[in-house]
Amino acid sequence: MLNCESLSRYTEKCKEIGNIDPYNIPRHAWKDITTLLGGDLPDLRHSDIYQYLINFKSAYNHKELRAYRSLEAYKYFIAGWVSELLIADIKQGNGSTLCIVTAKVRHSQSLNEEALRPWFAMEKEGPIIAAHCSCVAGLGEACSHVAATMFAVESGANWTKKESCTSQPCGWVLPSCSSFKSAPLAKIDFTSPATKYKNFDKQELHPSSCATPRTKKQLVSMEARQKFLETLKNSGIKSASLSLIPGCNEDFIPEGSFLPKPLSTLFSKDHTSLTRTDILQVA
């Protein structure tokens, strides 16, 4: 439930988009955005997201939002935290089309809680008009959940501008993570979100759910491994990796031993039955 101040501001948001409450729009009016072609998507650009998150005036203090941290919300999209991306087109009296976009976005700190349902509204080819999310930050006009939804739509708009995708439904939305489970290190993708986001525009990103398992490689036979080590040893160059391999580390043993013997050489099973006094005498 919203408090009086937040409820009043939410009512003002709805008035700004023609007295429409996106949460009251019937389900049949929403369309799955991933099935739309490029021309049916709103022309949302990165500059529009920046303009809203940074320069949009807050209704509370009439100052710019300056939500710089929300600009990193593309990581939520890359990680697959955005799902069920829906859009509703509302025809305006002046002939323009108002696009309302909503999605399910997981919490940043409580991954197992029920996903949030943020929304934002914009003209078909215009700026973002209003946005809302039920989290604390979202009640203050901007949050990472709203921004993640914007980045998902912006990525789709850029993706479908490419010639290879204009004749087929969008394939740009990453599969969402339905659960978060532990996994061996070999099956975890440690690629940074920034790198994934850059590769996304290059069509080099192969999306997966939570992590992209590495391709299982064929093991090298012991004979081939031994032959490789011998070739490396006979190359005339001392390879540091050979210093740890028995049978190949003879060249790394110093000729003259100038170090004291380790204490482990003093151990003798014959001394285990001696008393402390006898041990001191032996020492």
Side-chain angles (χ1 to χ4, degrees), residues 64-101:
E64 296 175 345
L65 293 178
R66 296 184 179 180
Y68 290 102
R69 292 188 62 182
S70 295
L71 291 175
E72 297 185 0
Y74 69 88
K75 298 178 181 179
Y76 289 23
F77 165 62
I78 291 297
W81 291 7
V82 180
S83 61
E84 294 187 24
L85 202 57
L86 305 175
I87 185 172
D89 293 334
I90 309 297
K91 297 294 182 179
Q92 302 292 295
N94 57 4
S96 62
T97 301
L98 179 68
C99 298
I100 301 178
V101 180

PDB file of all heavy atoms in Angstrom, residues 64-101:
ATOM      1  N   GLU A  64      16.768  17.960 -10.771  1.00  0.00           N
ATOM      2  CA  GLU A  64      17.058  16.845 -11.660  1.00  0.00           C
ATOM      3  C   GLU A  64      17.299  15.572 -10.857  1.00  0.00           C
ATOM      4  O   GLU A  64      17.869  15.602  -9.762  1.00  0.00           O
ATOM      5  CB  GLU A  64      18.298  17.170 -12.504  1.00  0.00           C
ATOM      6  CG  GLU A  64      18.082  18.354 -13.436  1.00  0.00           C
ATOM      7  CD  GLU A  64      19.348  18.724 -14.175  1.00  0.00           C
ATOM      8  OE1 GLU A  64      20.418  18.248 -13.754  1.00  0.00           O
ATOM      9  OE2 GLU A  64      19.264  19.477 -15.157  1.00  0.00           O
ATOM     10  N   LEU A  65      16.845  14.438 -11.415  1.00  0.00           N
ATOM     11  CA  LEU A  65      16.961  13.166 -10.694  1.00  0.00           C
ATOM     12  C   LEU A  65      18.419  12.767 -10.465  1.00  0.00           C
ATOM     13  O   LEU A  65      18.791  12.319  -9.387  1.00  0.00           O
ATOM     14  CB  LEU A  65      16.252  12.057 -11.487  1.00  0.00           C
ATOM     15  CG  LEU A  65      14.733  12.171 -11.592  1.00  0.00           C
ATOM     16  CD1 LEU A  65      14.189  11.030 -12.436  1.00  0.00           C
ATOM     17  CD2 LEU A  65      14.093  12.140 -10.207  1.00  0.00           C
ATOM     18  N   ARG A  66      19.221  12.878 -11.502  1.00  0.00           N
ATOM     19  CA  ARG A  66      20.651  12.540 -11.430  1.00  0.00           C
ATOM     20  C   ARG A  66      20.860  11.129 -10.855  1.00  0.00           C
ATOM     21  O   ARG A  66      21.706  10.913  -9.980  1.00  0.00           O
ATOM     22  CB  ARG A  66      21.417  13.560 -10.598  1.00  0.00           C
ATOM     23  CG  ARG A  66      21.400  14.959 -11.207  1.00  0.00           C
ATOM     24  CD  ARG A  66      22.239  15.931 -10.413  1.00  0.00           C
ATOM     25  NE  ARG A  66      22.210  17.248 -11.035  1.00  0.00           N
ATOM     26  CZ  ARG A  66      22.874  18.313 -10.553  1.00  0.00           C
ATOM     27  NH1 ARG A  66      23.607  18.180  -9.453  1.00  0.00           N
ATOM     28  NH2 ARG A  66      22.798  19.470 -11.173  1.00  0.00           N
ATOM     29  N   ALA A  67      20.100  10.180 -11.352  1.00  0.00           N
ATOM     30  CA  ALA A  67      20.217   8.786 -10.898  1.00  0.00           C
ATOM     31  C   ALA A  67      21.306   8.084 -11.692  1.00  0.00           C
ATOM     32  O   ALA A  67      21.051   7.206 -12.525  1.00  0.00           O
ATOM     33  CB  ALA A  67      18.868   8.076 -11.054  1.00  0.00           C
ATOM     34  N   TYR A  68      22.553   8.477 -11.421  1.00  0.00           N
ATOM     35  CA  TYR A  68      23.673   7.943 -12.192  1.00  0.00           C
ATOM     36  C   TYR A  68      23.840   6.436 -11.987  1.00  0.00           C
ATOM     37  O   TYR A  68      24.223   5.705 -12.900  1.00  0.00           O
ATOM     38  CB  TYR A  68      24.961   8.669 -11.806  1.00  0.00           C
ATOM     39  CG  TYR A  68      25.007  10.113 -12.267  1.00  0.00           C
ATOM     40  CD1 TYR A  68      24.757  11.153 -11.381  1.00  0.00           C
ATOM     41  CD2 TYR A  68      25.287  10.428 -13.591  1.00  0.00           C
ATOM     42  CE1 TYR A  68      24.790  12.478 -11.803  1.00  0.00           C
ATOM     43  CE2 TYR A  68      25.325  11.740 -14.028  1.00  0.00           C
ATOM     44  CZ  TYR A  68      25.076  12.761 -13.125  1.00  0.00           C
ATOM     45  OH  TYR A  68      25.094  14.066 -13.550  1.00  0.00           O
ATOM     46  N   ARG A  69      23.582   5.960 -10.791  1.00  0.00           N
ATOM     47  CA  ARG A  69      23.746   4.530 -10.521  1.00  0.00           C
ATOM     48  C   ARG A  69      22.775   3.684 -11.340  1.00  0.00           C
ATOM     49  O   ARG A  69      23.072   2.537 -11.677  1.00  0.00           O
ATOM     50  CB  ARG A  69      23.563   4.253  -9.033  1.00  0.00           C
ATOM     51  CG  ARG A  69      24.659   4.824  -8.150  1.00  0.00           C
ATOM     52  CD  ARG A  69      24.530   4.366  -6.726  1.00  0.00           C
ATOM     53  NE  ARG A  69      24.659   2.920  -6.618  1.00  0.00           N
ATOM     54  CZ  ARG A  69      24.541   2.253  -5.474  1.00  0.00           C
ATOM     55  NH1 ARG A  69      24.293   2.902  -4.352  1.00  0.00           N
ATOM     56  NH2 ARG A  69      24.672   0.946  -5.455  1.00  0.00           N
ATOM     57  N   SER A  70      21.628   4.252 -11.657  1.00  0.00           N
ATOM     58  CA  SER A  70      20.642   3.511 -12.439  1.00  0.00           C
ATOM     59  C   SER A  70      21.113   3.293 -13.882  1.00  0.00           C
ATOM     60  O   SER A  70      20.573   2.433 -14.578  1.00  0.00           O
ATOM     61  CB  SER A  70      19.295   4.247 -12.433  1.00  0.00           C
ATOM     62  OG  SER A  70      18.755   4.291 -11.123  1.00  0.00           O
ATOM     63  N   LEU A  71      22.118   4.062 -14.322  1.00  0.00           N
ATOM     64  CA  LEU A  71      22.640   3.870 -15.673  1.00  0.00           C
ATOM     65  C   LEU A  71      23.341   2.526 -15.813  1.00  0.00           C
ATOM     66  O   LEU A  71      23.567   2.052 -16.929  1.00  0.00           O
ATOM     67  CB  LEU A  71      23.613   5.003 -16.032  1.00  0.00           C
ATOM     68  CG  LEU A  71      22.993   6.392 -16.220  1.00  0.00           C
ATOM     69  CD1 LEU A  71      24.086   7.430 -16.440  1.00  0.00           C
ATOM     70  CD2 LEU A  71      22.019   6.397 -17.390  1.00  0.00           C
ATOM     71  N   GLU A  72      23.707   1.906 -14.689  1.00  0.00           N
ATOM     72  CA  GLU A  72      24.349   0.595 -14.730  1.00  0.00           C
ATOM     73  C   GLU A  72      23.332  -0.542 -14.674  1.00  0.00           C
ATOM     74  O   GLU A  72      23.704  -1.700 -14.532  1.00  0.00           O
ATOM     75  CB  GLU A  72      25.333   0.461 -13.571  1.00  0.00           C
ATOM     76  CG  GLU A  72      26.481   1.465 -13.622  1.00  0.00           C
ATOM     77  CD  GLU A  72      27.499   1.230 -12.537  1.00  0.00           C
ATOM     78  OE1 GLU A  72      27.312   0.282 -11.750  1.00  0.00           O
ATOM     79  OE2 GLU A  72      28.490   1.981 -12.472  1.00  0.00           O
ATOM     80  N   ALA A  73      22.061  -0.196 -14.788  1.00  0.00           N
ATOM     81  CA  ALA A  73      21.014  -1.220 -14.715  1.00  0.00           C
ATOM     82  C   ALA A  73      21.002  -2.135 -15.924  1.00  0.00           C
ATOM     83  O   ALA A  73      20.274  -3.127 -15.920  1.00  0.00           O
ATOM     84  CB  ALA A  73      19.639  -0.551 -14.548  1.00  0.00           C
ATOM     85  N   TYR A  74      21.794  -1.811 -16.958  1.00  0.00           N
ATOM     86  CA  TYR A  74      21.882  -2.730 -18.088  1.00  0.00           C
ATOM     87  C   TYR A  74      22.411  -4.086 -17.634  1.00  0.00           C
ATOM     88  O   TYR A  74      22.185  -5.111 -18.278  1.00  0.00           O
ATOM     89  CB  TYR A  74      22.797  -2.150 -19.164  1.00  0.00           C
ATOM     90  CG  TYR A  74      24.252  -2.088 -18.783  1.00  0.00           C
ATOM     91  CD1 TYR A  74      25.101  -3.171 -19.006  1.00  0.00           C
ATOM     92  CD2 TYR A  74      24.787  -0.957 -18.189  1.00  0.00           C
ATOM     93  CE1 TYR A  74      26.436  -3.121 -18.645  1.00  0.00           C
ATOM     94  CE2 TYR A  74      26.117  -0.890 -17.823  1.00  0.00           C
ATOM     95  CZ  TYR A  74      26.934  -1.978 -18.052  1.00  0.00           C
ATOM     96  OH  TYR A  74      28.255  -1.923 -17.684  1.00  0.00           O
ATOM     97  N   LYS A  75      23.124  -4.119 -16.476  1.00  0.00           N
ATOM     98  CA  LYS A  75      23.625  -5.375 -15.946  1.00  0.00           C
ATOM     99  C   LYS A  75      22.467  -6.306 -15.579  1.00  0.00           C
ATOM    100  O   LYS A  75      22.572  -7.519 -15.708  1.00  0.00           O
ATOM    101  CB  LYS A  75      24.489  -5.114 -14.709  1.00  0.00           C
ATOM    102  CG  LYS A  75      25.729  -4.280 -14.989  1.00  0.00           C
ATOM    103  CD  LYS A  75      26.514  -4.019 -13.723  1.00  0.00           C
ATOM    104  CE  LYS A  75      27.743  -3.155 -13.995  1.00  0.00           C
ATOM    105  NZ  LYS A  75      28.499  -2.872 -12.745  1.00  0.00           N
ATOM    106  N   TYR A  76      21.348  -5.735 -15.116  1.00  0.00           N
ATOM    107  CA  TYR A  76      20.179  -6.552 -14.794  1.00  0.00           C
ATOM    108  C   TYR A  76      19.654  -7.228 -16.053  1.00  0.00           C
ATOM    109  O   TYR A  76      19.277  -8.398 -16.042  1.00  0.00           O
ATOM    110  CB  TYR A  76      19.072  -5.684 -14.192  1.00  0.00           C
ATOM    111  CG  TYR A  76      19.319  -5.174 -12.798  1.00  0.00           C
ATOM    112  CD1 TYR A  76      20.605  -5.054 -12.282  1.00  0.00           C
ATOM    113  CD2 TYR A  76      18.260  -4.791 -11.977  1.00  0.00           C
ATOM    114  CE1 TYR A  76      20.826  -4.587 -11.014  1.00  0.00           C
ATOM    115  CE2 TYR A  76      18.483  -4.318 -10.698  1.00  0.00           C
ATOM    116  CZ  TYR A  76      19.764  -4.212 -10.218  1.00  0.00           C
ATOM    117  OH  TYR A  76      19.988  -3.745  -8.955  1.00  0.00           O
ATOM    118  N   PHE A  77      19.631  -6.455 -17.155  1.00  0.00           N
ATOM    119  CA  PHE A  77      19.131  -7.000 -18.412  1.00  0.00           C
ATOM    120  C   PHE A  77      20.056  -8.091 -18.936  1.00  0.00           C
ATOM    121  O   PHE A  77      19.608  -9.162 -19.355  1.00  0.00           O
ATOM    122  CB  PHE A  77      18.986  -5.870 -19.433  1.00  0.00           C
ATOM    123  CG  PHE A  77      18.826  -6.335 -20.850  1.00  0.00           C
ATOM    124  CD1 PHE A  77      17.742  -7.094 -21.228  1.00  0.00           C
ATOM    125  CD2 PHE A  77      19.771  -6.010 -21.820  1.00  0.00           C
ATOM    126  CE1 PHE A  77      17.587  -7.529 -22.538  1.00  0.00           C
ATOM    127  CE2 PHE A  77      19.635  -6.437 -23.119  1.00  0.00           C
ATOM    128  CZ  PHE A  77      18.534  -7.196 -23.478  1.00  0.00           C
ATOM    129  N   ILE A  78      21.363  -7.846 -18.923  1.00  0.00           N
ATOM    130  CA  ILE A  78      22.335  -8.815 -19.408  1.00  0.00           C
ATOM    131  C   ILE A  78      22.291 -10.083 -18.568  1.00  0.00           C
ATOM    132  O   ILE A  78      22.457 -11.200 -19.070  1.00  0.00           O
ATOM    133  CB  ILE A  78      23.745  -8.203 -19.401  1.00  0.00           C
ATOM    134  CG1 ILE A  78      23.852  -7.107 -20.472  1.00  0.00           C
ATOM    135  CG2 ILE A  78      24.815  -9.266 -19.635  1.00  0.00           C
ATOM    136  CD1 ILE A  78      23.669  -7.623 -21.881  1.00  0.00           C
ATOM    137  N   ALA A  79      22.064  -9.940 -17.251  1.00  0.00           N
ATOM    138  CA  ALA A  79      22.046 -11.098 -16.356  1.00  0.00           C
ATOM    139  C   ALA A  79      20.763 -11.910 -16.487  1.00  0.00           C
ATOM    140  O   ALA A  79      20.639 -12.966 -15.872  1.00  0.00           O
ATOM    141  CB  ALA A  79      22.220 -10.641 -14.911  1.00  0.00           C
ATOM    142  N   GLY A  80      19.798 -11.428 -17.275  1.00  0.00           N
ATOM    143  CA  GLY A  80      18.545 -12.162 -17.449  1.00  0.00           C
ATOM    144  C   GLY A  80      17.540 -11.928 -16.352  1.00  0.00           C
ATOM    145  O   GLY A  80      16.662 -12.763 -16.116  1.00  0.00           O
ATOM    146  N   TRP A  81      17.648 -10.789 -15.652  1.00  0.00           N
ATOM    147  CA  TRP A  81      16.707 -10.506 -14.563  1.00  0.00           C
ATOM    148  C   TRP A  81      15.418  -9.859 -15.057  1.00  0.00           C
ATOM    149  O   TRP A  81      14.502  -9.648 -14.277  1.00  0.00           O
ATOM    150  CB  TRP A  81      17.364  -9.590 -13.530  1.00  0.00           C
ATOM    151  CG  TRP A  81      18.464 -10.267 -12.771  1.00  0.00           C
ATOM    152  CD1 TRP A  81      18.994 -11.510 -13.016  1.00  0.00           C
ATOM    153  CD2 TRP A  81      19.177  -9.759 -11.649  1.00  0.00           C
ATOM    154  NE1 TRP A  81      19.982 -11.796 -12.124  1.00  0.00           N
ATOM    155  CE2 TRP A  81      20.125 -10.740 -11.271  1.00  0.00           C
ATOM    156  CE3 TRP A  81      19.126  -8.568 -10.933  1.00  0.00           C
ATOM    157  CZ2 TRP A  81      20.998 -10.561 -10.203  1.00  0.00           C
ATOM    158  CZ3 TRP A  81      19.998  -8.391  -9.869  1.00  0.00           C
ATOM    159  CH2 TRP A  81      20.922  -9.374  -9.510  1.00  0.00           C
ATOM    160  N   VAL A  82      15.354  -9.526 -16.345  1.00  0.00           N
ATOM    161  CA  VAL A  82      14.153  -8.922 -16.926  1.00  0.00           C
ATOM    162  C   VAL A  82      13.395  -9.992 -17.692  1.00  0.00           C
ATOM    163  O   VAL A  82      13.953 -10.655 -18.566  1.00  0.00           O
ATOM    164  CB  VAL A  82      14.520  -7.758 -17.857  1.00  0.00           C
ATOM    165  CG1 VAL A  82      13.260  -7.136 -18.452  1.00  0.00           C
ATOM    166  CG2 VAL A  82      15.344  -6.709 -17.119  1.00  0.00           C
ATOM    167  N   SER A  83      12.128 -10.169 -17.376  1.00  0.00           N
ATOM    168  CA  SER A  83      11.309 -11.186 -18.038  1.00  0.00           C
ATOM    169  C   SER A  83       9.896 -10.649 -18.249  1.00  0.00           C
ATOM    170  O   SER A  83       9.519  -9.606 -17.701  1.00  0.00           O
ATOM    171  CB  SER A  83      11.262 -12.477 -17.200  1.00  0.00           C
ATOM    172  OG  SER A  83      10.685 -12.229 -15.937  1.00  0.00           O
ATOM    173  N   GLU A  84       9.123 -11.378 -19.057  1.00  0.00           N
ATOM    174  CA  GLU A  84       7.725 -11.021 -19.359  1.00  0.00           C
ATOM    175  C   GLU A  84       7.610  -9.561 -19.771  1.00  0.00           C
ATOM    176  O   GLU A  84       6.874  -8.778 -19.185  1.00  0.00           O
ATOM    177  CB  GLU A  84       6.820 -11.311 -18.154  1.00  0.00           C
ATOM    178  CG  GLU A  84       6.716 -12.786 -17.819  1.00  0.00           C
ATOM    179  CD  GLU A  84       5.685 -13.058 -16.740  1.00  0.00           C
ATOM    180  OE1 GLU A  84       4.764 -12.226 -16.587  1.00  0.00           O
ATOM    181  OE2 GLU A  84       5.795 -14.078 -16.060  1.00  0.00           O
ATOM    182  N   LEU A  85       8.354  -9.204 -20.794  1.00  0.00           N
ATOM    183  CA  LEU A  85       8.353  -7.831 -21.309  1.00  0.00           C
ATOM    184  C   LEU A  85       7.103  -7.626 -22.159  1.00  0.00           C
ATOM    185  O   LEU A  85       6.936  -8.270 -23.192  1.00  0.00           O
ATOM    186  CB  LEU A  85       9.618  -7.601 -22.126  1.00  0.00           C
ATOM    187  CG  LEU A  85      10.105  -6.169 -22.330  1.00  0.00           C
ATOM    188  CD1 LEU A  85      10.340  -5.484 -20.995  1.00  0.00           C
ATOM    189  CD2 LEU A  85      11.382  -6.165 -23.149  1.00  0.00           C
ATOM    190  N   LEU A  86       6.220  -6.717 -21.725  1.00  0.00           N
ATOM    191  CA  LEU A  86       4.937  -6.489 -22.389  1.00  0.00           C
ATOM    192  C   LEU A  86       4.811  -5.016 -22.786  1.00  0.00           C
ATOM    193  O   LEU A  86       5.407  -4.141 -22.166  1.00  0.00           O
ATOM    194  CB  LEU A  86       3.778  -6.870 -21.462  1.00  0.00           C
ATOM    195  CG  LEU A  86       3.782  -8.294 -20.893  1.00  0.00           C
ATOM    196  CD1 LEU A  86       2.642  -8.466 -19.909  1.00  0.00           C
ATOM    197  CD2 LEU A  86       3.692  -9.331 -22.003  1.00  0.00           C
ATOM    198  N   ILE A  87       4.002  -4.772 -23.812  1.00  0.00           N
ATOM    199  CA  ILE A  87       3.772  -3.412 -24.280  1.00  0.00           C
ATOM    200  C   ILE A  87       2.304  -3.234 -24.626  1.00  0.00           C
ATOM    201  O   ILE A  87       1.651  -4.163 -25.134  1.00  0.00           O
ATOM    202  CB  ILE A  87       4.665  -3.085 -25.505  1.00  0.00           C
ATOM    203  CG1 ILE A  87       4.494  -1.623 -25.912  1.00  0.00           C
ATOM    204  CG2 ILE A  87       4.366  -4.015 -26.665  1.00  0.00           C
ATOM    205  CD1 ILE A  87       5.480  -1.185 -26.976  1.00  0.00           C
ATOM    206  N   ALA A  88       1.795  -2.057 -24.322  1.00  0.00           N
ATOM    207  CA  ALA A  88       0.412  -1.700 -24.665  1.00  0.00           C
ATOM    208  C   ALA A  88       0.437  -0.371 -25.407  1.00  0.00           C
ATOM    209  O   ALA A  88       1.022   0.609 -24.925  1.00  0.00           O
ATOM    210  CB  ALA A  88      -0.455  -1.596 -23.415  1.00  0.00           C
ATOM    211  N   ASP A  89      -0.168  -0.332 -26.592  1.00  0.00           N
ATOM    212  CA  ASP A  89      -0.234   0.892 -27.396  1.00  0.00           C
ATOM    213  C   ASP A  89      -1.583   1.567 -27.159  1.00  0.00           C
ATOM    214  O   ASP A  89      -2.647   0.963 -27.387  1.00  0.00           O
ATOM    215  CB  ASP A  89      -0.058   0.574 -28.879  1.00  0.00           C
ATOM    216  CG  ASP A  89       1.341   0.066 -29.192  1.00  0.00           C
ATOM    217  OD1 ASP A  89       2.265   0.417 -28.433  1.00  0.00           O
ATOM    218  OD2 ASP A  89       1.503  -0.677 -30.175  1.00  0.00           O
ATOM    219  N   ILE A  90      -1.527   2.823 -26.710  1.00  0.00           N
ATOM    220  CA  ILE A  90      -2.741   3.593 -26.430  1.00  0.00           C
ATOM    221  C   ILE A  90      -2.820   4.740 -27.424  1.00  0.00           C
ATOM    222  O   ILE A  90      -1.921   5.589 -27.482  1.00  0.00           O
ATOM    223  CB  ILE A  90      -2.729   4.140 -24.986  1.00  0.00           C
ATOM    224  CG1 ILE A  90      -2.432   3.013 -23.985  1.00  0.00           C
ATOM    225  CG2 ILE A  90      -4.050   4.819 -24.675  1.00  0.00           C
ATOM    226  CD1 ILE A  90      -3.467   1.921 -23.949  1.00  0.00           C
ATOM    227  N   LYS A  91      -3.879   4.772 -28.225  1.00  0.00           N
ATOM    228  CA  LYS A  91      -4.066   5.850 -29.189  1.00  0.00           C
ATOM    229  C   LYS A  91      -4.526   7.117 -28.470  1.00  0.00           C
ATOM    230  O   LYS A  91      -5.454   7.085 -27.666  1.00  0.00           O
ATOM    231  CB  LYS A  91      -5.094   5.453 -30.259  1.00  0.00           C
ATOM    232  CG  LYS A  91      -4.669   4.264 -31.119  1.00  0.00           C
ATOM    233  CD  LYS A  91      -3.453   4.619 -31.961  1.00  0.00           C
ATOM    234  CE  LYS A  91      -3.069   3.438 -32.861  1.00  0.00           C
ATOM    235  NZ  LYS A  91      -1.897   3.751 -33.712  1.00  0.00           N
ATOM    236  N   GLN A  92      -3.850   8.226 -28.768  1.00  0.00           N
ATOM    237  CA  GLN A  92      -4.181   9.505 -28.162  1.00  0.00           C
ATOM    238  C   GLN A  92      -5.132  10.300 -29.058  1.00  0.00           C
ATOM    239  O   GLN A  92      -5.275  10.010 -30.257  1.00  0.00           O
ATOM    240  CB  GLN A  92      -2.910  10.312 -27.912  1.00  0.00           C
ATOM    241  CG  GLN A  92      -1.894   9.609 -27.019  1.00  0.00           C
ATOM    242  CD  GLN A  92      -2.384   9.459 -25.593  1.00  0.00           C
ATOM    243  OE1 GLN A  92      -2.590  10.431 -24.875  1.00  0.00           O
ATOM    244  NE2 GLN A  92      -2.570   8.213 -25.182  1.00  0.00           N
ATOM    245  N   GLY A  93      -5.766  11.312 -28.470  1.00  0.00           N
ATOM    246  CA  GLY A  93      -6.703  12.128 -29.231  1.00  0.00           C
ATOM    247  C   GLY A  93      -6.044  12.926 -30.331  1.00  0.00           C
ATOM    248  O   GLY A  93      -6.671  13.252 -31.344  1.00  0.00           O
ATOM    249  N   ASN A  94      -4.762  13.266 -30.160  1.00  0.00           N
ATOM    250  CA  ASN A  94      -4.053  14.041 -31.177  1.00  0.00           C
ATOM    251  C   ASN A  94      -3.465  13.174 -32.288  1.00  0.00           C
ATOM    252  O   ASN A  94      -2.722  13.651 -33.135  1.00  0.00           O
ATOM    253  CB  ASN A  94      -2.942  14.866 -30.536  1.00  0.00           C
ATOM    254  CG  ASN A  94      -1.958  14.001 -29.751  1.00  0.00           C
ATOM    255  OD1 ASN A  94      -2.057  12.774 -29.746  1.00  0.00           O
ATOM    256  ND2 ASN A  94      -1.029  14.650 -29.065  1.00  0.00           N
ATOM    257  N   GLY A  95      -3.783  11.893 -32.276  1.00  0.00           N
ATOM    258  CA  GLY A  95      -3.303  10.994 -33.313  1.00  0.00           C
ATOM    259  C   GLY A  95      -2.009  10.282 -32.979  1.00  0.00           C
ATOM    260  O   GLY A  95      -1.599   9.379 -33.708  1.00  0.00           O
ATOM    261  N   SER A  96      -1.348  10.677 -31.901  1.00  0.00           N
ATOM    262  CA  SER A  96      -0.099  10.028 -31.512  1.00  0.00           C
ATOM    263  C   SER A  96      -0.387   8.732 -30.758  1.00  0.00           C
ATOM    264  O   SER A  96      -1.521   8.470 -30.348  1.00  0.00           O
ATOM    265  CB  SER A  96       0.747  10.962 -30.634  1.00  0.00           C
ATOM    266  OG  SER A  96       0.051  11.275 -29.440  1.00  0.00           O
ATOM    267  N   THR A  97       0.643   7.925 -30.585  1.00  0.00           N
ATOM    268  CA  THR A  97       0.517   6.650 -29.903  1.00  0.00           C
ATOM    269  C   THR A  97       1.360   6.666 -28.634  1.00  0.00           C
ATOM    270  O   THR A  97       2.555   6.966 -28.678  1.00  0.00           O
ATOM    271  CB  THR A  97       0.978   5.486 -30.797  1.00  0.00           C
ATOM    272  OG1 THR A  97       0.182   5.464 -31.982  1.00  0.00           O
ATOM    273  CG2 THR A  97       0.837   4.153 -30.070  1.00  0.00           C
ATOM    274  N   LEU A  98       0.717   6.350 -27.534  1.00  0.00           N
ATOM    275  CA  LEU A  98       1.403   6.257 -26.253  1.00  0.00           C
ATOM    276  C   LEU A  98       1.755   4.794 -26.001  1.00  0.00           C
ATOM    277  O   LEU A  98       0.889   3.916 -26.066  1.00  0.00           O
ATOM    278  CB  LEU A  98       0.527   6.788 -25.120  1.00  0.00           C
ATOM    279  CG  LEU A  98       1.120   6.722 -23.710  1.00  0.00           C
ATOM    280  CD1 LEU A  98       2.289   7.674 -23.574  1.00  0.00           C
ATOM    281  CD2 LEU A  98       0.051   7.029 -22.669  1.00  0.00           C
ATOM    282  N   CYS A  99       3.023   4.532 -25.758  1.00  0.00           N
ATOM    283  CA  CYS A  99       3.497   3.171 -25.495  1.00  0.00           C
ATOM    284  C   CYS A  99       3.769   3.010 -24.003  1.00  0.00           C
ATOM    285  O   CYS A  99       4.528   3.789 -23.422  1.00  0.00           O
ATOM    286  CB  CYS A  99       4.769   2.881 -26.286  1.00  0.00           C
ATOM    287  SG  CYS A  99       4.567   2.966 -28.071  1.00  0.00           S
ATOM    288  N   ILE A 100       3.134   2.015 -23.415  1.00  0.00           N
ATOM    289  CA  ILE A 100       3.374   1.689 -22.009  1.00  0.00           C
ATOM    290  C   ILE A 100       4.038   0.316 -21.971  1.00  0.00           C
ATOM    291  O   ILE A 100       3.506  -0.656 -22.501  1.00  0.00           O
ATOM    292  CB  ILE A 100       2.066   1.683 -21.203  1.00  0.00           C
ATOM    293  CG1 ILE A 100       1.386   3.052 -21.287  1.00  0.00           C
ATOM    294  CG2 ILE A 100       2.329   1.313 -19.749  1.00  0.00           C
ATOM    295  CD1 ILE A 100       0.053   3.129 -20.564  1.00  0.00           C
ATOM    296  N   VAL A 101       5.190   0.259 -21.354  1.00  0.00           N
ATOM    297  CA  VAL A 101       5.982  -0.965 -21.296  1.00  0.00           C
ATOM    298  C   VAL A 101       6.113  -1.406 -19.841  1.00  0.00           C
ATOM    299  O   VAL A 101       6.350  -0.594 -18.955  1.00  0.00           O
ATOM    300  CB  VAL A 101       7.391  -0.754 -21.895  1.00  0.00           C
ATOM    301  CG1 VAL A 101       8.203  -2.048 -21.826  1.00  0.00           C
ATOM    302  CG2 VAL A 101       7.286  -0.261 -23.335  1.00  0.00           C
TER     303      VAL A 101
END
